[in-house]
Amino acid sequence: MSYTKKILEQAIAKNPHEPEFHQVMTEILSTLQPFVDSRPEYEKAGILERLTEPERVIMFRIPWVDDAGKMQVNKGYRVQFNSAIGPYKGGLRFHPSVCLSIVKFLGFEQIFKNSLTGQPIGGGKGGSDFDPKGKSEREVMAFCQSFMTELFRHIGANTDVPAGDIGVGGREIGFMYGQYRRLTNNIEGVLTGKGLAYGGSFVRAEATGYGLVYLVDEMLRHNGESFEGKTVIVSGSGNVAISATEKVQQLGGNVVAMSDSNGRIYDADGIDLDAVKEIKEVNRGRISDYKNYRPNAEYTEGKNVWDIKCDIALPCATQNELSGEDAKTLIRNGCFAVGEGANMPATLEAVEVFLKSKMMFAPGKAANAGGVATSSLEMSQNFMRTSWTFEKVDRKLKGIMADIYNNIATAAKEADCEGNFIVGANIAGFKKVADAMLQQGTV
C-alpha cells in the first residue's frame, strides 16, 4: 500500500465521526499521492502523519448571559494545525453547524491555502456553535467577550492570529479585540479584519471576493476568455458574495443571481448591489427583501442558484453547497468556469463532474485565498505601525492572486495534469509546508 493511502486510512480511523475532516483529507491526499509517494524523504520524516494531526486542539465552554438574564453556554474551538511556515492563521466561525469536524476540515485546508499566498503564515481555524442571527448587540458583545476570555491565552501576534469567517464580521472582531486589550494590557495585531480606526487594513473586507475574481480573471484570460459580457451567478449574499459581485460588475460581467439560506433571487437585468448591501449590511435582512427594491426580480423560497443559466458560477456561501447533480445542471446550461469563493463549496462528486467535463475550475484553497493574503498584509502593517492606501493593498492583492494562479498552473503542468488546478494547488501548497517541516526536524 502506498504511503499516502496508508496514512489517509489511519487518519480516518483515528478520527471517527468527523465526516467533513475525512472529506478534506481524502480530497487533498488523494491528489498528492503520486507526488508524495515518489519522494521517500517525506515518508522517512513522517510528514503526513504530522500534517494530518493538529499541533494543538483547544476546546472550551463559553458562558454568557442573554437579554432575559438567562445563562447560556456554547462550545468554542481553536485548532492550531500547522505552524511550519509561520504563526497560525485562520478565521473564527460563529454558526450553529460549527463542531470539531468542521473546524478541523477548515483548518487542514487552511494550511495549504496560506502556503499558496506566499506569505509566512501557518494554518489554523476556530469558532463556536453560537448563532449571531437574531441576537441583540449587547448579547453579541457579551458572547464575544466571554469567547475571548478563554481564547486570549492561546493567541498572539507571533503565535496565532485569528480573523473573521461566517458570522464574524467587523462588529464581532471589534468586541473580541477590545476584550483582548482589556485582558492583556497589550496592543498588537492579534486579530485581523479590525476596523480602520484601530489597526485594520484597507481592502480587508473586500479581499476574499476581490481575490476570487482576480484569480478567476487570470484563469479566463489564459484561456482566451474574460468576464466582459458574461452572465454570472453568485451563491450567498454575505461579504464574499457582495465583494465578488462588485468586482465582476467592474470587469463587465452581469451577475443575475444571489442567495441566502432561505432562498434565491434572480434579476435578469443584473443585481442591484446597492440594494443587496442595504438589505444585508445595514438592515441585516433576508435576500427575499430584494423584491422591495426591484419588484420585477424573481424570488424562490428554498432554492439555490445552480439551475439558472450562466457562463460563470461563483459559489460563495458555505461548504458542500454544490452537489454533483448541481454540477451537471451547470454544465448542461452552458457554464464553462467555476471559482470557489467559499471553503470547499463543491462536493467531491461535483468536483469530479467538473474535472471530467474539462471545464475551468478554480478550487477554494487558491481562489478564496485573497482574504487570508490581505490579513497577512494587515499583520505586516501592524508590525510596522503603518497603514497603506486602498490602492496599494489592492495592487498587492491582485499580484498575489496572479502569482497563485501561475504557481498552481505550473505545478499542475509539471505533474502532467495541465489544467487540473486542484492537483496544482495541492502540490504547490503542500511542497512549501513539507519542505519547511523537513528542514526543521521533528517538531
Side-chain angles (χ1 to χ4, degrees), residues 49 77 105 111 125 133 141 200 209 216 269 309-310 317 375 383 389 401 430:
E49 291 92 328
Y77 306 88
F105 153 81
I111 300 169
K125 205 74 179 183
K133 290 180 181 177
M141 181 173 68
V216 173
D269 295 327
K309 288 189 176 183
C310 67
S375 281
F383 277 121
T389 64
M401 300 312 294
F430 170 82

mmCIF file of all heavy atoms in Angstrom, residues 49 77 105 111 125 133 141 200 209 216 269 309-310 317 375 383 389 401 430:
data_model
loop_
_atom_site.group_PDB
_atom_site.id
_atom_site.type_symbol
_atom_site.label_atom_id
_atom_site.label_comp_id
_atom_site.label_asym_id
_atom_site.label_seq_id
_atom_site.Cartn_x
_atom_site.Cartn_y
_atom_site.Cartn_z
ATOM 1 N N GLU A 49 1.965 11.939 8.647
ATOM 2 C CA GLU A 49 1.482 11.645 9.997
ATOM 3 C C GLU A 49 1.384 12.931 10.813
ATOM 4 O O GLU A 49 0.412 13.159 11.542
ATOM 5 C CB GLU A 49 2.423 10.665 10.718
ATOM 6 C CG GLU A 49 2.408 9.252 10.155
ATOM 7 C CD GLU A 49 3.475 9.042 9.094
ATOM 8 O OE1 GLU A 49 3.803 10.000 8.365
ATOM 9 O OE2 GLU A 49 3.984 7.918 8.995
ATOM 10 N N TYR A 77 -13.951 26.537 19.932
ATOM 11 C CA TYR A 77 -12.866 25.733 19.389
ATOM 12 C C TYR A 77 -11.767 26.627 18.811
ATOM 13 O O TYR A 77 -12.048 27.697 18.254
ATOM 14 C CB TYR A 77 -13.356 24.840 18.237
ATOM 15 C CG TYR A 77 -14.530 23.960 18.556
ATOM 16 C CD1 TYR A 77 -15.837 24.416 18.392
ATOM 17 C CD2 TYR A 77 -14.345 22.644 18.982
ATOM 18 C CE1 TYR A 77 -16.918 23.597 18.657
ATOM 19 C CE2 TYR A 77 -15.423 21.816 19.251
ATOM 20 C CZ TYR A 77 -16.716 22.300 19.090
ATOM 21 O OH TYR A 77 -17.792 21.491 19.350
ATOM 22 N N PHE A 105 -11.678 20.341 9.437
ATOM 23 C CA PHE A 105 -11.836 20.387 7.980
ATOM 24 C C PHE A 105 -11.329 21.715 7.425
ATOM 25 O O PHE A 105 -10.519 21.774 6.490
ATOM 26 C CB PHE A 105 -13.313 20.145 7.673
ATOM 27 C CG PHE A 105 -13.868 20.731 6.404
ATOM 28 C CD1 PHE A 105 -13.678 20.095 5.182
ATOM 29 C CD2 PHE A 105 -14.619 21.889 6.437
ATOM 30 C CE1 PHE A 105 -14.229 20.620 4.014
ATOM 31 C CE2 PHE A 105 -15.167 22.413 5.284
ATOM 32 C CZ PHE A 105 -14.970 21.781 4.056
ATOM 33 N N ILE A 111 -4.026 25.256 5.898
ATOM 34 C CA ILE A 111 -2.574 25.076 5.815
ATOM 35 C C ILE A 111 -2.093 25.334 4.395
ATOM 36 O O ILE A 111 -1.132 26.091 4.157
ATOM 37 C CB ILE A 111 -2.166 23.646 6.223
ATOM 38 C CG1 ILE A 111 -2.581 23.331 7.651
ATOM 39 C CG2 ILE A 111 -0.649 23.462 6.060
ATOM 40 C CD1 ILE A 111 -2.444 21.839 7.996
ATOM 41 N N LYS A 125 -7.819 27.295 12.535
ATOM 42 C CA LYS A 125 -9.222 27.668 12.374
ATOM 43 C C LYS A 125 -9.899 27.574 13.725
ATOM 44 O O LYS A 125 -9.429 26.865 14.627
ATOM 45 C CB LYS A 125 -9.917 26.741 11.387
ATOM 46 C CG LYS A 125 -11.129 27.363 10.702
ATOM 47 C CD LYS A 125 -10.729 28.390 9.651
ATOM 48 C CE LYS A 125 -11.950 28.982 8.953
ATOM 49 N NZ LYS A 125 -11.585 29.918 7.889
ATOM 50 N N LYS A 133 -27.305 35.505 14.525
ATOM 51 C CA LYS A 133 -28.573 35.936 13.938
ATOM 52 C C LYS A 133 -29.654 36.014 15.009
ATOM 53 O O LYS A 133 -29.828 35.103 15.807
ATOM 54 C CB LYS A 133 -29.009 34.961 12.838
ATOM 55 C CG LYS A 133 -28.144 35.020 11.588
ATOM 56 C CD LYS A 133 -28.638 34.030 10.543
ATOM 57 C CE LYS A 133 -27.751 34.064 9.309
ATOM 58 N NZ LYS A 133 -28.171 33.048 8.302
ATOM 59 N N MET A 141 -22.064 41.159 21.987
ATOM 60 C CA MET A 141 -20.891 41.645 22.715
ATOM 61 C C MET A 141 -20.590 40.747 23.918
ATOM 62 O O MET A 141 -19.418 40.397 24.156
ATOM 63 C CB MET A 141 -21.103 43.089 23.188
ATOM 64 C CG MET A 141 -19.893 43.655 23.938
ATOM 65 S SD MET A 141 -20.053 45.414 24.315
ATOM 66 C CE MET A 141 -21.382 45.384 25.513
ATOM 67 N N GLY A 200 -6.790 48.234 11.371
ATOM 68 C CA GLY A 200 -7.264 47.437 10.256
ATOM 69 C C GLY A 200 -6.652 47.870 8.942
ATOM 70 O O GLY A 200 -5.975 48.901 8.860
ATOM 71 N N GLY A 209 -13.626 38.243 -1.802
ATOM 72 C CA GLY A 209 -14.404 38.357 -3.035
ATOM 73 C C GLY A 209 -13.596 38.923 -4.187
ATOM 74 O O GLY A 209 -13.643 38.406 -5.312
ATOM 75 N N VAL A 216 -9.912 34.123 -10.903
ATOM 76 C CA VAL A 216 -10.726 33.592 -11.995
ATOM 77 C C VAL A 216 -10.468 34.379 -13.277
ATOM 78 O O VAL A 216 -10.404 33.809 -14.374
ATOM 79 C CB VAL A 216 -12.221 33.608 -11.616
ATOM 80 C CG1 VAL A 216 -13.092 33.226 -12.826
ATOM 81 C CG2 VAL A 216 -12.488 32.645 -10.467
ATOM 82 N N ASP A 269 -31.896 41.685 -15.283
ATOM 83 C CA ASP A 269 -31.294 42.969 -15.641
ATOM 84 C C ASP A 269 -29.966 43.208 -14.926
ATOM 85 O O ASP A 269 -29.278 44.190 -15.208
ATOM 86 C CB ASP A 269 -32.250 44.117 -15.297
ATOM 87 C CG ASP A 269 -33.526 44.059 -16.129
ATOM 88 O OD1 ASP A 269 -33.435 43.614 -17.298
ATOM 89 O OD2 ASP A 269 -34.587 44.448 -15.617
ATOM 90 N N LYS A 309 -29.274 29.623 -15.869
ATOM 91 C CA LYS A 309 -28.298 29.620 -16.960
ATOM 92 C C LYS A 309 -27.238 30.697 -16.751
ATOM 93 O O LYS A 309 -27.557 31.841 -16.412
ATOM 94 C CB LYS A 309 -28.994 29.819 -18.301
ATOM 95 C CG LYS A 309 -29.790 28.606 -18.756
ATOM 96 C CD LYS A 309 -30.285 28.780 -20.182
ATOM 97 C CE LYS A 309 -30.997 27.511 -20.658
ATOM 98 N NZ LYS A 309 -31.440 27.611 -22.064
ATOM 99 N N CYS A 310 -25.976 30.302 -16.971
ATOM 100 C CA CYS A 310 -24.881 31.254 -16.762
ATOM 101 C C CYS A 310 -23.666 30.786 -17.543
ATOM 102 O O CYS A 310 -23.589 29.647 -18.007
ATOM 103 C CB CYS A 310 -24.536 31.363 -15.271
ATOM 104 S SG CYS A 310 -23.818 29.843 -14.592
ATOM 105 N N ALA A 317 -21.035 30.768 -0.610
ATOM 106 C CA ALA A 317 -21.832 30.672 0.608
ATOM 107 C C ALA A 317 -21.157 29.807 1.669
ATOM 108 O O ALA A 317 -20.631 30.318 2.658
ATOM 109 C CB ALA A 317 -23.232 30.156 0.291
ATOM 110 N N SER A 375 -5.153 39.570 5.061
ATOM 111 C CA SER A 375 -4.951 39.522 6.511
ATOM 112 C C SER A 375 -3.456 39.554 6.830
ATOM 113 O O SER A 375 -3.021 40.220 7.781
ATOM 114 C CB SER A 375 -5.574 38.251 7.096
ATOM 115 O OG SER A 375 -6.965 38.383 7.238
ATOM 116 N N PHE A 383 2.766 45.308 12.346
ATOM 117 C CA PHE A 383 4.140 45.198 12.842
ATOM 118 C C PHE A 383 4.921 46.491 12.592
ATOM 119 O O PHE A 383 5.748 46.897 13.409
ATOM 120 C CB PHE A 383 4.864 44.022 12.170
ATOM 121 C CG PHE A 383 4.581 42.697 12.803
ATOM 122 C CD1 PHE A 383 4.021 41.663 12.056
ATOM 123 C CD2 PHE A 383 4.861 42.464 14.138
ATOM 124 C CE1 PHE A 383 3.754 40.433 12.639
ATOM 125 C CE2 PHE A 383 4.597 41.229 14.731
ATOM 126 C CZ PHE A 383 4.042 40.219 13.970
ATOM 127 N N THR A 389 -2.418 52.617 1.572
ATOM 128 C CA THR A 389 -3.627 53.096 0.907
ATOM 129 C C THR A 389 -4.426 51.922 0.338
ATOM 130 O O THR A 389 -3.904 50.811 0.160
ATOM 131 C CB THR A 389 -3.272 54.033 -0.257
ATOM 132 O OG1 THR A 389 -2.539 53.300 -1.252
ATOM 133 C CG2 THR A 389 -2.442 55.214 0.237
ATOM 134 N N MET A 401 -2.739 37.125 -6.143
ATOM 135 C CA MET A 401 -3.653 36.190 -6.799
ATOM 136 C C MET A 401 -3.115 35.765 -8.165
ATOM 137 O O MET A 401 -3.272 34.598 -8.563
ATOM 138 C CB MET A 401 -5.043 36.812 -6.935
ATOM 139 C CG MET A 401 -5.702 37.200 -5.608
ATOM 140 S SD MET A 401 -5.661 35.933 -4.310
ATOM 141 C CE MET A 401 -6.697 34.657 -4.998
ATOM 142 N N PHE A 430 1.364 22.118 -0.592
ATOM 143 C CA PHE A 430 1.988 21.089 0.243
ATOM 144 C C PHE A 430 3.510 21.193 0.238
ATOM 145 O O PHE A 430 4.151 21.069 1.292
ATOM 146 C CB PHE A 430 1.563 19.710 -0.255
ATOM 147 C CG PHE A 430 2.329 18.567 0.360
ATOM 148 C CD1 PHE A 430 1.978 18.067 1.606
ATOM 149 C CD2 PHE A 430 3.415 17.997 -0.302
ATOM 150 C CE1 PHE A 430 2.684 17.020 2.181
ATOM 151 C CE2 PHE A 430 4.122 16.952 0.260
ATOM 152 C CZ PHE A 430 3.758 16.463 1.509
#
